[in-house]
Amino acid sequence: MKLRTLKRHLNESFKSLARNGWMTFASVSAVTVSLVLVGLFLMVMFNLNKIAGDIENDVQVRVYIDQSATSVQQNQLESNLKQVKNVQSVTFQSKQQGLNNLLQSMGSDKSTFQDLQKQNPLPNVFILKTSRPEQTVQVAQQVKSLPYVSDVRYGKGTVEKMFQFVNIARNVGIVLIIGLLFTSVFLIANTIKLTIVARRREIEIMKLVGATNAFVRWPYFIEGLFMGILGSVIPVFLVMIVYHFAYYNLSGNLSQMFIRLIPYQTMTANLSLLLIGIGAIIGVWGSLNSVRKFLKI
Amino acid sequence: MDDMILMQNVWKAYSNGVMALNGIDLSVKQGEFVYIVGPSGAGKSTFIKMIFRELKPTRGKIFINHKNIATLRERQVPYFRRKIGVVFQDFRLLPKLTVYENVAFALEVIEENPKAIKKRVMEVLDLVGLKHKLRSFPDQLSGGEQQRVSIARSICNRPPVLIADEPTGNLDPETSWQIMDVFTRINEQGTTVVMATHNKDIVNRIRHRVIALEGGMVVRDEQEGEYGYEA
Ligand SMILES: Nc1ncnc2c1ncn2[C@@H]1O[C@H](COP(=O)(O)OP(=O)(O)OP(=O)(O)O)[C@@H](O)[C@H]1O
Ligand SMILES: [Mg+2]
């Protein structure tokens, strides 16, 4: 496209946006509202996904070693464990380490448990990691029958529940988001349609004297793009601010539970780009959708 | 060989089932001036719309400058239309643009270069005798002047064919003669002109070929013909 043509299209677009100021404002607001909700939702979803993923990676089977086992027997058990199918790693955790971890996770209340130090009820354990979470059940079953194993524990339930929750949240959210996005597309399409009715004659004459469809479409494309991107400005800043508070207030507490949120920079950079992208797409989609009918001359 | 417009067995059925054209066969030579006459509902406007492909024929072939436009691809239509000038009864000017801008608009949307546009717009405005009104807006002009602007717009791209659907339909007799002057001049420059009209006086006074349509069929085709209907 020639520069002068581009200039003409830009000129046309901004004239029209200004002329239909209130409708432009309404559409941009609709996009803004949708994207704010989408942004907040995605912020939560991304983190849930990450946490679920972390837990998933952390899937382990704890093998309690019989208290009566000698260290030779214990070594033998270790080499047996290493041969079990799907076992990725075997780590030893002494009863003392286990107790320390436990006390640490309880936070400041550890005084109540002081006497545990004297008589530690915990067993020594081997911690097995599997490469995939669904393998834990099979590994646990196989390990149970090995000699000197007193008990086998794995995070039955909790992981599954977590995934279930994330899945439900995701599905509900996706439906909600699609609904919102369609509303925005519809609003943009309607705004542009209003402006087109006024410019219908112009389009007709353009087509009559031999303008290509692309030529007619350009200004509308620009208008849609502009409205969509403008609509994403507030959501982007809002997400930055909200995540700033969420991240710096929550991540301290959560880290005690071994939960790590997505780093601030990563989250805001990705989410901003995503929101701007979604904004641009709804804008362009809405506007091109509304010219289509008028091009059939 | 020098057929500018060639129709072979052209039929047109509208989506509601109305048969507007029923097997039209005709040829218009390059440089000819043709009147399309006939009673209301005869299919004149439909015929005109076929020529610049506002409508596609249901059946048959339409060659414009030896190119069958019935099978033209949608993407090619704009480039084809640049070769056809169209004038309407209701002028179709943009009210917010001046006379100059209205004409220049037609060249801008086909991305002509600005220098050429300026020169050409002045030329055609001179041809239709409206050079002195180039800064006026359509609502500051008489009907005849507005029609002349729309003619200027239709010919600014030097189309080999000019088609007009009742170009004098909204004009008083005096103004209609002025419009015919312009058409005559354009025709004398070699442009093929096809004009649908109800204007008996014009057809009988300025003699050209007359094609009469009735019920979507050609019922008469005469060189230097008469209008042939009562008023
Ligand atoms: N868009 C349309 N849809 C359906 N039928 C149509 C359409 N346009 C025209 N017709 C019908 O096709 C026939 C031919 O119409 P057309 O407009 O070509 O006539 P015309 O000769 O131009 O008439 P007039 O002199 O009144 O302008 C008429 O019966 C008309 O009712
Ligand atoms: Mg008609």
Side-chain angles (χ1 to χ4, degrees):
Chain A
M1 187 171 36
K2 290 171 189 152
L3 190 64
R4 117 174 76 86
T5 310
L6 181 64
K7 244 158 84 187
R8 183 244 172 222
H9 291 321
L10 282 170
N11 207 1
E12 286 296 308
S13 313
F14 288 107
K15 258 199 312 210
S16 161
L17 284 169
R19 201 180 305 131
N20 302 284
W22 278 107
M23 284 308 297
T24 304
F25 179 76
S27 299
V28 171
S29 308
V31 177
T32 301
V33 171
S34 312
L35 288 183
V36 162
L37 294 171
V38 170
L40 294 178
F41 172 80
L42 287 180
M43 203 161 88
V44 174
M45 276 318 294
F46 285 162
N47 272 306
L48 283 180
N49 246 345
K50 158 115 185 348
I51 293 166
D54 285 353
I55 292 176
E56 185 178 30
N57 289 334
D58 223 35
V59 169
Q60 40 176 266
V61 177
R62 301 169 71 83
V63 180
Y64 290 22
I65 304 164
D66 200 323
Q67 301 275 18
S68 63
T70 65
S71 62
V72 177
Q73 289 166 331
Q74 201 168 290
N75 288 343
Q76 200 186 338
L77 176 58
E78 182 170 7
S79 55
N80 283 342
L81 287 173
K82 280 183 177 153
Q83 269 148 42
V84 173
K85 207 174 130 214
N86 290 332
V87 170
Q88 223 179 20
S89 68
V90 178
T91 327
F92 178 73
Q93 187 184 49
S94 70
K95 53 165 87 178
Q96 188 54 47
Q97 283 167 333
L99 184 63
N100 289 345
N101 286 350
L102 183 68
L103 291 178
Q104 202 172 37
S105 68
M106 302 221 159
S108 53
D109 259 0
K110 57 181 113 174
S111 55
T112 353
F113 300 96
Q114 275 312 323
D115 41 346
L116 287 181
Q117 298 277 21
K118 285 167 215 143
Q119 201 180 12
N120 186 347
L122 297 177
N124 291 326
V125 295
F126 281 119
I127 298 168
L128 310 184
K129 286 207 173 170
T130 61
S131 30
R132 280 186 287 134
E134 58 269 28
Q135 292 162 344
T136 51
V137 184
Q138 166 254 319
V139 167
Q141 227 112 62
Q142 248 175 295
V143 164
K144 209 177 276 178
S145 54
L146 293 175
Y148 313 112
V149 172
S150 68
D151 200 0
V152 178
R153 298 269 171 89
Y154 62 99
K156 261 188 278 188
T158 52
V159 178
E160 281 91 336
K161 272 188 201 128
M162 180 79 188
F163 277 114
Q164 245 171 20
F165 174 72
V166 170
N167 271 335
I168 292 171
R170 182 161 41 205
N171 292 343
V172 170
I174 285 172
V175 170
L176 221 79
I177 282 187
I178 291 179
L180 276 169
L181 293 183
F182 268 105
T183 314
S184 317
V185 169
F186 175 79
L187 278 165
I188 293 230
N190 249 29
T191 308
I192 302 238
K193 218 172 268 171
L194 278 181
T195 80
I196 290 183
V197 170
R199 284 185 284 175
R200 191 180 188 152
R201 213 179 172 74
E202 192 180 307
I203 294 180
E204 200 180 274
I205 294 169
M206 284 164 104
K207 294 279 320 206
L208 240 128
V209 298
T212 59
N213 284 349
F215 187 93
V216 178
R217 260 192 224 115
W218 264 102
Y220 298 95
F221 174 86
I222 296 171
E223 273 169 56
L225 189 69
F226 181 78
M227 287 199 271
I229 291 179
L230 201 64
S232 67
V233 170
I234 292 178
V236 164
F237 280 107
L238 198 75
V239 159
M240 284 181 175
I241 292 167
V242 169
Y243 200 59
H244 184 88
F245 279 106
Y247 186 74
Y248 292 106
N249 287 328
L250 290 179
S251 61
N253 288 330
L254 290 176
S255 72
Q256 292 189 347
M257 295 157 66
F258 303 103
I259 291 174
R260 250 179 237 112
L261 295 175
I262 298 173
Y264 181 73
Q265 304 271 336
T266 316
M267 172 65 114
T268 48
N270 289 336
L271 199 49
S272 301
L273 284 179
L274 195 61
L275 289 178
I276 294 171
I278 295 175
I281 290 171
I282 32 187
V284 168
W285 185 14
S287 69
L288 289 189
N289 213 22
S290 60
V291 250
R292 213 180 41 199
K293 201 173 75 197
F294 296 89
L295 289 173
K296 289 187 187 137
I297 303 173
Chain B
M1 257 329 272
D2 55 346
D3 288 326
M4 187 51 96
I5 301 170
L6 178 64
M7 294 200 178
Q8 292 178 338
N9 194 26
V10 171
W11 298 70
K12 177 65 191 180
Y14 281 107
S15 52
N16 61 359
V18 173
M19 294 296 297
L21 297 179
N22 297 298
I24 304 271
D25 276 292
L26 60 80
S27 109
V28 175
K29 306 284 175 218
Q30 195 200 323
E32 258 191 303
F33 196 124
V34 181
Y35 292 120
I36 307 293
V37 301
S40 185
K44 301 184 294 296
S45 297
T46 308
F47 179 89
I48 292 284
K49 285 174 182 166
M50 293 289 182
I51 299 175
F52 71 105
R53 209 180 189 260
E54 182 170 340
L55 295 174
K56 270 192 195 179
T58 312
R59 187 135 67 85
K61 293 176 179 169
I62 301 175
F63 294 92
I64 306 290
N65 216 352
H66 308 289
K67 190 158 193 170
N68 186 359
I69 61 164
T71 56
L72 201 63
R73 293 233 190 109
E74 221 42 62
R75 316 189 106 258
Q76 315 258 244
V77 171
Y79 302 98
F80 158 71
R81 288 209 180 129
R82 293 175 191 187
K83 300 197 171 78
I84 310 283
V86 189
V87 179
F88 295 94
Q89 182 173 355
D90 59 355
F91 321 141
R92 306 215 183 164
L93 299 175
L94 294 169
K96 295 220 172 79
L97 301 186
T98 64
V99 166
Y100 178 90
E101 289 163 344
N102 260 292
V103 179
F105 179 76
L107 292 169
E108 277 157 12
V109 302
I110 61 172
E111 302 183 59
E112 269 290 348
N113 86 63
K115 262 197 184 141
I117 292 179
K118 202 166 177 186
K119 183 158 167 283
R120 182 60 183 159
V121 173
M122 295 315 285
E123 249 170 53
V124 289
L125 283 179
D126 195 26
L127 181 72
V128 301
L130 279 178
K131 220 172 167 177
H132 58 293
K133 295 260 170 151
L134 57 92
R135 276 182 238 286
S136 305
F137 287 91
D139 61 4
Q140 299 167 332
L141 301 176
S142 71
E145 287 168 333
Q146 289 185 51
Q147 188 59 299
R148 280 186 281 158
V149 177
S150 101
I151 295 170
R153 183 185 61 200
S154 71
I155 60 167
C156 64
N157 193 32
R158 296 189 175 84
V161 179
L162 182 66
I163 57 181
D165 195 358
E166 301 194 36
T168 60
N170 281 339
L171 307 175
D172 58 80
E174 177 57 33
T175 316
S176 300
W177 292 117
Q178 291 175 12
I179 296 302
M180 286 313 293
D181 269 355
V182 177
F183 278 138
T184 302
R185 235 178 298 163
I186 292 164
N187 179 237
E188 278 164 1
Q189 292 182 356
T191 307
T192 309
V193 179
V194 178
M195 168 174 160
T197 185
H198 279 294
N199 197 317
K200 183 182 180 184
D201 291 341
I202 287 178
V203 175
N204 289 342
R205 188 94 69 84
I206 306 175
R207 289 297 178 106
H208 290 296
R209 178 177 170 193
V210 174
I211 295 174
L213 295 180
E214 278 176 38
M217 288 187 277
V218 177
V219 295
R220 180 161 58 94
D221 186 347
E222 302 173 318
Q223 299 297 331
E224 314 262 306
E226 287 196 8
Y227 182 68
Y229 298 95
E230 283 317 306

